Amino acid sequence: MKFLFKDKLTSMASTLLILFIFLAIFGPLVAPYPKEGRGKANVDNSFIGPGWKHLLGTDELGRDLLSRIIFGARPALLIALAVVGFAAVIGTLLGLIAGYRGGWIDSLIMRVSELFLSFPPLLLSLVAVTFLGPGLVNALIALIISWWPWYARLIRVEASIVKSKPYVEISAAMGVPDRVIILRHILRNVTTPLIVQIAADLGTVILAAGSLAFIGLGAQPPAADWGLMVAQGRNLIFDQWWISTFSGMAIFLAVLAFNILGDALRDHFDPRISRQ
Amino acid sequence: MKTLVRPFICSEGGKPMSLKSRFSSPKIRLIAITTSALLAIAGFTVPNAAQAASVFKVATSAAVTTWDPIQSFSTEAFYMTNIYEPLLWKNPDGVSPEYAPALATSWSASKDGKTWTFKLRAGATFHDGSPVTSAAVKASFESSKKVGGAGFIWDALKTVDTPSDDTVVLNLSYAAPMDLIASSTYGAYIVNPKALDAVAKDAKYFESGKDGGSGPYTISSYKAGSSVVLTAYSKHWAASKPAYSTIDISIVSDGITAQQMMTSGQVDWATNIPLTSMTSFKRNNKYSVIKYKSPFNYVGYFNTLRAPLNNPKVRQALSMALNYREITAVGGQGYATQSRGPVPAGIYPYDAAIPQYQMARTKAKALLASAGVKDLTIKITYASENSAEARFVPLIKDAFEAIGVKAEVQGILFNQQWAAAKKDPANAQDLFIVKYWPTYSDAGVDNLWSLFHSSAKPFFNLSYWKNTTYDKLVDDAIELSGSDKAAAQKLYSQAMMILYNEAPGLYLYDEAQVSVVPKKFDIPKYNINYPFSAFFAGVKLSS
Amino acid sequence: MKILRNRLSSALLVLLGASFITFTLARVIPSDPALAYIGPKATAAEAAKLRITLGLDQPIPVQYFKYLIETFQGNWGYSLSTKQPILQEIADRLPATLELIFFAISFAVIFGVALGVYAAKYRGKFQDSLIRIFAIIGVSMPAFWLGLLLQMLFAGRLTWFPATGQFDIELKYDHPITRVTGFPLFDSIITGNYHATFNGLHHMILPALTLSAYSFGLLSRMARANLLEVLSQDYVKVARAYGLSERLIFFKLALRNALPPIVTVTGLSAAYLITGTFFVEQVYNWPGIGSFAVNSLLSIDYPAIMGITLVAAIGYLVTNFIVDLIQSKLDPRVWMK
């Protein structure tokens, strides 16, 4: 774990990440104005600029921006975990089936995942969420649809390599079912690239979810969603600049932390391979 | 610039290099060229102002849903009133006489109000040069009544006679104020019969930017979603020619973008400045911020087909949950007042005696309990392109949650919101938030009828409410409006009381129209009868 | 030739697949195409009639087949929101986006690679850290946020650049650009309309910078990483042992070997740029495909969305093809894949 603090940059990222997770869990207890963070309006306080009472100012409904941003940490993290989690699970499952079975199932699954991968990233999510309708759950589904192919491909490649390895045959001769062997060996081989990819994907998903919300196809008001808050502040950027600025900064810092962490993980597990 | 160049100056080993060898590096040269180019571009700003003098540049959010003057029923009204003309215009409030002649120079009604005669203007022509005749008027009105977007305004019209080229006679099935109706912002334009024939053959005839109008401007170019350029029609009948021969209109969906285009000088005037910017504009002495009365108001429809919203007690409870003061403040930013029913203040048949709901959350909770409601979730939809709705709808959600009702909010483009509401009423939204305005200055025939009169297919009654007493009151009032306004008002007031008691909708607030006008220009006053329009022929430089 | 045929056929499969996915999503997921087509004022009977006219009552594979044939013939349908032919809309808007992408990619490649190489050269030193920080900031920045920030700062407060639009509106009247190729900036250069060129570049800077941030970061990191890996290879050590100058090793040996993957990554970035334009064009009101796409998505304009998906997929394929072409020049083994 020490590598997470190996230099200033990585230390900063790790600290940010710890802060992010802390806020996701304990945010409601730490926020200076928890009711407002949750969404309660305080109309008489609208559009107060950053200052002592409200460190980051207030929004159009008078809600303390810092509290709103803190409350936004939990959904952001949950979305990231949900999308990456489901995508990894679905992708892994499909990749295992494809690699283990081989034959036409393999071809089908691989063709389909290549197809999905040939869509410019995010476009598929945008199209899917358009037809599903705006909302957080639909955005989640749309993002999972875009993210699973990479995991499927990774697992499938490993599965088909491992399947033909001699130790599989040997273990099978010794009575161990080959599914167990394959699973064990696959997992051993894919752990590193999987972890690195998950770390990077967590950041990318936060970015993607924020982008969907910014356009209006993601979380709906009055959710404390960072992307949504940037969009809400857009009509106000010249005078009440703090709303979009700080909400966007939250997204930026979260993604930055995950990206730096991903780098650190990659360097740690295989310093020679600087690029996947 | 020094900071940009410095990293390249050190050689390996950290020894400083001579000036000459610094610039011999290709990288340095590239940087130097790029930065000087950037500087050159940044400095090269303003094109020749003198040549562009007769072009008036505007930024607006008014999208063109259709260029068909008969079908038109939306924001394209912004442009239409410059390209097309009705028989007469209704003047702004407080201006006398009430009407200004346009394509008709005089008009009169028979004693029983069922026959109206209009005398057409000599010398008025369509943009292709052909004269505006009574045949054109007949064709336009009949087409509008049959298929028009606002065809309902011709409900009283039975037949149109054209005894001569310059005389039109309207025969009605009941007395109705034809002067008011023929001045409507939708459905009353006189269209070139050749264009009407063309569009009958090809429904998309107008959409590329063709027009069949007679107005002071004609469409010279149209880029969908991007820009509309109008050029003055040289043979227009008006005595004075417009000061600007070209009106260049950029269609910009975000108010803030339009605002920035105006303040940076890209355009001369922006018409959809966000209300939240008004405070800073008031401090800016290059602009005047003018508040006008408008026919706009915000209404919410409850889906009365869905239990438990079919129970008036539940609707009343929900009406009592709202903090109207906050909603009005947040939505209107100081330019709104709470509504009394769905008729905006100052528009006939507004009645100041109609009560308003006020926030009374304890009472609301009690009402809900007495109606046996627990675990209610309300799905609220609003138009995502409307920034006021985006601001205040969360407050509605808050209000409902304060009385124990959960709410889901969905912001979608208005066209989608409307389509979803009409598709399957039983499964549509529970609360539909909309900004409304009457087609012409009669909110009895429009707001009260359109919004809450029952009909087989939902037109605008997106509460799907059916109340036969209400229907009869409004129908009778409409018939009386032409002849006995006082009696009609009495019936309307009774109808509005039903709306209060039954609460098929939420009556949120009436919004003023706020225009930001650069002091440099003299722009015609806002006309409440054409709430979505700008009249460019009257724009000139301030003296 | 065979390889070319293979490439084309797999490209075609990709296009078919992309369009099929979009088509299915559009038809299968709850929303009514007919109602969207005729607008909310229609009655149920009219909608039913239209459904038959549009062929929406046919099974999905039949509808898809019909769609394919029409698309192939050049009939991409009409946009539900703008009522214009979609192919026309796309053709009108493509040049603006392509010019924006061109500048963004150029900036990203030139500065990204240059700075990445520089960082590799000064590995471990202050310059390296600084550049690496910039690079990772570039890939982490939400494009829409960066756009808003730049707009707010450089256009709003400092007024150094215009906040929106492709050209000053007055340009249409004072120095109109004669249309030659349809690419406005390019046309302005070849017709000598330098007023327009400078004005266009002035408007282009903020959006191009915004769009390039991600690719810049990506390329910078890639360049640095590749170069470092190449520099640690044995043949470099051998060359050094032979006494070749650092400069020669660096520029002639290492760079040449490190660059090919850069080309691939540039191609990948192009894909990010395609969806990146959606956000950048929206923030800067750029009249290109991106803003048209956002509008179509929000209006659930089915035909337009299909058209845009097709164009995006084609663009992606073309970019990859060009990238492979360049790669093959640098490394003939690529063709064997």
Side-chain angles (χ1 to χ4, degrees), chain C residues 74-110:
Chain C
N75 173 11
W76 288 30
Y78 284 81
S79 158
L80 300 177
S81 49
T82 64
K83 313 264 192 319
Q84 311 297 316
I86 288 170
L87 200 51
Q88 186 64 41
E89 284 266 32
I90 292 179
D92 285 343
R93 288 168 169 274
L94 202 51
T97 302
L98 288 179
E99 283 187 342
L100 181 61
I101 290 183
F102 171 75
F103 276 91
I105 278 222
S106 307
F107 182 84
V109 168
I110 295 174

Side-chain angles (χ1 to χ4, degrees), chain C residues 31-51:
Chain C
S31 1
D32 191 343
L35 211 53
Y37 198 86
I38 35 179
K41 287 198 217 83
T43 59
E46 285 169 2
K49 205 167 69 156
L50 184 69
R51 224 166 266 127

